[in-house]
């Protein structure tokens, strides 16, 4: 081919000004989203449909493939009647909600520091927040094993300064899981908060001070209400990943610690009860959605003013 | 270089706000250089100067956002250096208004009172009165984003006035408004401040606004106050060539003074308190223009424009340079066309100002 043919023929240039193509290229209409919609349908909706159907049917499996499937409500009924279901989901819920609150409790001061800090403080916070995300969650979880273990950093220090005589049992408890989860998920809370803070107009804080507010007054009355969107996003993200987390409870909670994800894993991988696992997954998803909707409603309530223009 | 302007020799009452030799540096840059200014009870003083001359910096020092590197700022005789921002009896109307977007108009206005721990019922009454003052009672329940620029600005003013500050600081409050609204707001705001008897410092780089709003104008140049005087005096007797150039338009000539008189370019002479080389300044409206070539100051009209009842001519003089002349608009057909050869003469030599040579 000669190099001349690499140029588009005149006719094609004319087509480029065609209304449909123009619309497509300028991003109007739903056209630009079509590839994403196709991919989402393929990798999310279809498998979800299969999962759903498993929960409502008896199946026979042969060499990893389903060979027969008959409709039944038995698995749903059994799961809802089983007290273990309630215990496990309650434990997961408490764990996720307390992780969320802990992350908010530790994350918000960092975000506030980011807001009032100079460029170097901001850079440092950003690096320290993002750096852990570059390492594997499993590695960070193992680090907690070292710190919280029977001969770990915490116990050794406590013994050394004479506060305790024998090592405390921290690892393989609910507390170990909570501590690990809060630390590992902290960046996910901090990042949306920082995003809000970096857009915060500091002139509002000056106005607040000029009107007589102390630093605390400004924090409570101006900065906090204006950072609600970040709190909402962070809380929703941390809750979701904590509620559905698998690695941290598995490693720090010990073999017998069951939360929703570890239970589903056992049902599917060890007991090979796909239908049971499917029902558990659906309960997990439904309860998670309920909390997310709740978080969204609260966030909306506190950001009514952003809808001001429409009213 | 001349000495910093004397703060104020002719105040009768003790000043509400007294700024003495305030200096502020950012690294090697001296943004404020020994600024001194006394503001009397109920007076409106305007800081006027080009962008970057330090007007906002001075306001921020008064409000307490920044501490000056040297000098004193006292309010009612009390030093403010150790007083934190939220304890100063100073109200700031920010250029951007800085209204709280998440609070309604009424809550924005109530904010300061709430921070002072006032009882709910008292707050409501005072907020209602403040909103009435700025004619925004009907908008109490709206959020700032639902208001026009002018309304937002009035909220910003009400929010500060409700606290009855000793000193009101306004940093280019009309910047975001269109020209027509600006004019109306200037008059309204001046009347409001005067009615409430508030002491105010007003910042602008618009000279007309300064002339409208102020009791006195402080013309600033690179961190110093170049002249501090009532508007008429600033306009009629600018203390330096810089002030003359900044306020109103002006024509400058280099000349020579001897024996108490200075030669003017049109052949006349004027009294002079300086001797030797000087710069003389003539306002455009102090020049007469006529067709023909019968005097020493000649040239050709290069450009003209109508400004209402007046015409501004730009005359390219034979000596080089462009002279601006402001004249009453002539009847049709009698105006001077572009390119016409003209002669200029000074109407009143006594109104020419004489400065050190530039
Ligand atoms: N935080 C700062 N750090 C360093 N330099 C600053 C800072 N703030 C202002 N300056 C400098 O101080 C000088 C005066 O600034 P200032 O804002 O007081 O000017 P201004 O007279 O208000 O101008 P404008 O009319 O444009 O608002 C400018 O040269 C500016 O660059
Ligand atoms: Mg400024």
């Amino acid at each position: 081919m000669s190099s001349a043919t690499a140029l588009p023929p005149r006719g094609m240039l004319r087509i480029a000004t065609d209304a449909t193509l123009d619309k497509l290229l300028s991003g109007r209409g739903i056209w630009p989203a079509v590839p994403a919609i196709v991919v989402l349908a393929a990798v999310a909706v279809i498998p979800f449909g299969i999962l759903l159907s498993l929960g409502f049917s008896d199946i026979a499996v042969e060499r990893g493939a389903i060979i027969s499937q008959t409709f039944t409500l038995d698995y749903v009924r059994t799961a809802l009647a089983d007290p273990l279901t309630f215990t496990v989901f309650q434990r997961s819920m408490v764990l996720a909600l307390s992780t969320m609150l802990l992350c908010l409790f530790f994350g918000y001061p960092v975000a506030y520091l980011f807001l009032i800090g100079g460029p170097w403080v901001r850079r440092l916070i950003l690096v320290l927040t993002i750096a852990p995300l570059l390492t594997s969650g499993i590695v960070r979880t193992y680090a907690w094993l070292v710190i919280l273990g029977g001969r770990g950093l915490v116990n050794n220090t406590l013994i050394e300064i004479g506060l305790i005589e024998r090592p405390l049992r921290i690892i393989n408890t609910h507390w170990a899981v909570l501590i690990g989860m809060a630390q590992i998920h902290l960046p996910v809370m901090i990042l949306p908060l920082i995003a809000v803070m970096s857009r915060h107009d500091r002139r509002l804080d000056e106005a607040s001070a000029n009107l007589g507010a102390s630093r605390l007054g400004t924090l409570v009355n101006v900065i906090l209400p204006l950072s609600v969107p970040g709190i909402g996003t962070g809380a929703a993200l941390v809750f979701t990943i904590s509620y559905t987390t698998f690695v941290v409870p598995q490693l720090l909670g010990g073999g017998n610690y069951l939360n929703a994800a570890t239970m589903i894993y056992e049902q599917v991988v060890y007991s090979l009860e796909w239908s049971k696992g499917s029902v558990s997954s659906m309960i997990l998803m439904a309860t998670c959605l309920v909390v997310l909707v709740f978080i969204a409603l609260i966030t909306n309530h506190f950001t009514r003013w952003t809808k001001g223009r429409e009213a | 270089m001349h000495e910093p302007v004397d703060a104020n020799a002719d105040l009768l009452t003790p000043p509400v706000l007294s700024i003495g030799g305030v200096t502020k540096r950012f690294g090697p840059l001296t943004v404020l250089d020994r600024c001194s200014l006394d503001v009397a009870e109920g007076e409106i003083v305007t800081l006027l100067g080009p962008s970057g001359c330090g007007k906002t910096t001075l306001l921020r020092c008064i409000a307490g956002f920044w501490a000056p590197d040297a000098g004193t700022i006292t309010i009612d005789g009390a030093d403010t250096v150790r007083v934190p921002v939220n304890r100063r009896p100073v109200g700031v109307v920010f250029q951007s208004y800085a209204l709280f977007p998440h609070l309604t108009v009424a809550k924005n206005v109530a904010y300061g009172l709430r921070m002072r721990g006032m009882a709910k019922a008292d707050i409501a009454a005072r907020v209602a009165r403040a909103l009435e003052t700025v004619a925004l009672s009907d908008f109490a329940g709206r959020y700032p984003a639902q208001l026009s620029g002018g309304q937002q600005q009035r909220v910003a003013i009400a929010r500060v006035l409700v606290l009855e500050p000793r000193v009101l600081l306004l940093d280019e409050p009309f910047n975001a408004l269109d020209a027509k609204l600006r004019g109306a707001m200037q008059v309204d705001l001046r009347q409001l401040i005067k009615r409430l008897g508030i002491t105010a410092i007003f910042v602008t780089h618009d000279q007309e606004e300064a002339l409208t709003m102020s009791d006195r104008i402080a013309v600033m140049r690179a961190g110093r106050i170049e002249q501090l005087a009532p508007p008429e005096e600033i306009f009629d007797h600018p203390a330096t060539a810089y002030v003359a150039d900044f306020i109103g338009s002006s024509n400058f000539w280099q000349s020579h003074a001897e024996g108490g008189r200075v030669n003017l370019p049109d052949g006349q002479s004027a009294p002079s308190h300086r001797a030797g080389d000087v710069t003389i300044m003539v306002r455009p409206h102090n020049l007469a223009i006529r067709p023909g070539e019968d005097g020493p100051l000649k040239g050709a009209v290069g450009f003209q424009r109508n400004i209402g009842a007046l015409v501004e001519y730009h005359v390219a003089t034979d000596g080089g340079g462009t002279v601006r002349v402001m004249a009453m608009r002539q009847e049709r057909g009698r105006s001077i066309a572009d390119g016409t050869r003209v002669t200029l003469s000074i109407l009143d030599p006594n109104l020419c100002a004489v400065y050190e040579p530039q």
Side-chain angles (χ1 to χ4, degrees):
Chain A
M1 266 199 187
S2 75
S3 63
T5 52
L7 289 170
R10 279 169 180 277
M12 267 175 79
L13 283 175
R14 213 178 51 76
I15 291 169
T17 62
D18 177 68
T20 319
L21 193 60
D22 187 48
K23 197 170 161 186
L24 211 163
L25 291 175
S26 66
R28 271 175 287 151
I30 61 155
W31 293 108
V34 166
I37 292 172
V38 170
V39 171
L40 267 181
V43 306
V45 175
I46 296 171
F48 180 70
I50 296 172
L51 184 72
L52 202 71
S53 74
L54 287 180
F56 291 98
S57 49
D58 244 331
I59 52 168
V61 179
E62 202 169 273
R63 286 196 220 106
I66 298 167
I67 50 169
S68 82
Q69 193 168 2
T70 47
F71 178 81
T72 172
L73 282 175
D74 284 354
Y75 291 103
V76 178
R77 255 188 233 123
T78 320
L80 291 181
D82 187 354
L84 182 69
T85 313
F86 183 77
T87 315
V88 167
F89 278 100
Q90 187 195 35
R91 182 184 298 144
S92 291
M93 183 64 75
V94 168
L95 185 68
L97 288 176
S98 22
T99 304
M100 182 185 92
L101 291 178
L102 269 184
C103 285
L104 191 59
F105 181 80
F106 287 110
Y108 202 88
V110 175
Y112 181 69
L113 212 62
F114 181 89
L115 176 70
I116 62 172
W120 279 106
V121 173
R122 289 186 165 209
R123 247 165 260 166
L124 188 73
I125 290 176
L126 215 51
V127 167
L128 290 181
T129 308
I130 292 175
L133 294 177
L134 302 177
T135 66
S136 153
I138 296 178
V139 173
R140 280 178 286 153
T141 312
Y142 270 114
W144 277 111
L145 276 178
V146 177
I147 296 171
L148 300 176
R151 291 267 161 240
L153 191 68
V154 172
N155 273 321
N156 277 355
T157 312
L158 290 178
I159 291 170
E160 209 116 306
I161 60 176
L163 271 181
I164 52 175
E165 280 170 16
R166 280 184 296 128
L168 292 175
R169 189 169 157 261
I170 310 174
I171 215 73
N172 296 353
T173 66
H174 183 78
W175 298 109
V177 179
L178 183 60
I179 293 171
M181 284 237 282
Q183 189 271 329
I184 286 164
H185 295 165
L186 190 57
V188 181
M189 176 62 88
I190 293 178
L191 286 177
L193 287 177
I194 282 181
V196 169
M197 293 302 185
S198 57
R199 268 181 278 127
H200 182 79
D201 183 359
R202 298 246 45 209
R203 284 172 297 191
L204 297 179
D205 307 346
E206 289 183 340
S208 169
N210 179 252
L211 292 169
S214 61
R215 271 163 187 271
L216 185 65
T218 301
L219 174 60
V220 172
N221 293 291
V222 177
I223 298 169
L224 199 60
L226 289 175
S227 56
V228 165
I231 297 176
T233 309
L237 286 174
V238 170
F239 173 79
T240 308
I241 56 178
S242 305
Y243 190 49
T244 58
T245 189
F246 172 75
V247 171
V248 184
Q250 182 79 357
L251 292 182
L252 296 182
N256 300 323
Y257 188 88
L258 267 195
N259 80 332
T262 47
M263 180 176 78
I264 294 169
Y265 179 76
E266 297 215 331
Q267 289 168 339
V268 173
V269 175
Y270 289 123
S271 334
L272 291 176
E273 292 172 304
W274 291 8
S275 295
K276 262 191 171 182
S278 159
V279 172
S280 303
S281 302
M282 282 186 285
I283 297 174
L284 182 71
M285 208 178 296
T287 44
C288 187
L289 266 178
V290 168
V291 175
L292 288 184
V293 166
F294 197 65
I295 291 175
L297 286 178
I298 295 176
T299 309
N300 274 351
H301 177 80
F302 285 109
T303 52
R304 276 161 303 168
W305 55 275
T306 53
K307 283 107 197 158
R309 276 220 170 268
E310 299 153 21
Chain B
M1 273 277 162
H2 45 98
E3 280 307 293
V5 170
D6 179 20
N8 198 342
D10 45 43
L11 283 186
L12 298 175
T13 50
V16 170
L17 173 69
S18 179
I19 298 164
V22 164
T23 298
K24 177 76 189 167
R25 294 185 202 90
F26 287 112
L29 188 70
T30 302
V31 175
L32 290 178
D33 185 12
R34 286 167 290 158
C35 276
S36 294
L37 173 68
D38 282 0
V39 187
E41 180 94 52
E43 191 184 25
I44 304 177
V45 170
T46 294
L47 302 181
L48 176 64
S51 194
C53 71
K55 306 180 296 289
T56 299
T57 306
L58 184 55
L59 282 204
R60 294 182 64 87
C61 287
I62 300 171
F65 296 127
W66 288 335
D69 294 312
T72 56
I73 298 172
T74 62
I75 295 173
D76 287 325
D79 195 359
T80 58
V81 171
R82 287 175 186 288
V83 183
V85 184
N86 56 337
R87 298 262 165 73
R88 293 196 186 193
V90 175
V92 183
V93 175
F94 292 82
Q95 189 177 329
S96 56
Y97 312 147
L99 297 180
F100 304 122
H102 61 295
L103 299 179
T104 61
V105 168
K107 285 188 175 157
N108 261 281
V109 177
Y111 191 88
L113 299 172
R114 201 151 59 82
M115 291 304 123
R116 276 165 180 70
M118 188 181 272
K120 273 226 165 86
D122 298 344
I123 291 180
R126 284 176 69 164
V127 167
R129 214 172 334 125
L131 287 179
E132 212 170 291
T133 312
V134 294
L136 281 177
S137 302
D138 295 341
F139 297 84
R142 293 222 198 166
Y143 288 103
Q146 298 169 302
L147 300 178
S148 74
Q151 290 164 343
Q152 290 182 22
Q153 205 237 357
R154 268 145 56 204
V155 177
I157 291 171
R159 184 174 73 170
V160 165
L161 287 184
V162 77
L163 299 174
E164 298 171 356
R166 282 299 281 158
V167 180
L168 177 64
L169 306 177
L170 304 118
D171 193 355
E172 310 200 29
F174 303 124
N175 244 15
L177 306 183
D178 65 67
K180 200 165 170 216
L181 188 56
R182 220 175 227 245
M185 291 288 292
Q186 285 167 10
V187 176
D188 284 355
L189 184 60
R190 178 173 165 89
Q191 285 175 343
L192 178 63
I193 294 175
K194 282 291 157 192
R195 182 153 50 85
L196 300 174
I198 291 176
T199 307
I201 294 193
F202 179 87
V203 164
T204 181
H205 51 231
D206 180 300
Q207 48 157 311
E208 224 173 283
E209 197 165 287
L211 295 172
T212 311
M213 292 289 302
S214 337
D215 295 322
R216 283 190 301 153
I217 296 175
V219 180
M220 289 186 70
R221 173 195 199 176
R224 316 186 101 197
I225 294 177
E226 186 109 342
Q227 184 176 11
L228 176 63
E232 311 78 53
E233 197 182 323
I234 295 258
F235 193 81
D236 294 339
H237 305 288
T240 65
Y242 173 85
V243 175
D245 196 24
F246 198 79
I247 301 266
S249 65
S250 31
N251 301 297
F252 293 98
W253 279 280
Q254 305 303 322
S255 186
H256 196 78
E258 238 174 40
R261 294 200 73 79
V262 61
N263 296 321
L264 299 179
D266 68 340
Q268 305 186 68
S269 70
S272 167
H273 54 281
R274 290 177 191 278
D277 288 338
V278 293
T279 296
I280 53 177
M281 187 278 291
V282 183
R283 293 288 192 201
H285 57 260
N286 193 20
L287 282 166
I289 183 170
R290 59 180 182 274
E293 305 185 49
D294 55 357
L297 187 54
K298 296 188 288 277
V301 174
F303 169 79
Q304 57 181 295
R305 59 176 177 147
N306 290 336
I307 309 166
L310 299 173
V311 190
E312 186 186 58
Y313 295 100
H314 290 198
V315 177
T317 56
D318 295 348
T322 300
V323 174
R324 293 172 187 215
V325 181
M326 201 73 89
M328 292 300 289
R329 187 137 55 93
Q330 307 284 323
E331 287 301 312
R332 233 175 208 292
R334 284 185 56 205
S335 68
I336 303 169
D338 284 356
T340 311
R341 297 284 302 167
V342 292
T343 303
L344 305 178
S345 57
I346 292 165
L347 290 170
D348 184 351
N350 294 322
L351 289 182
C352 298
V354 183
Y355 303 114
E356 58 191 56
Q358 288 184 313

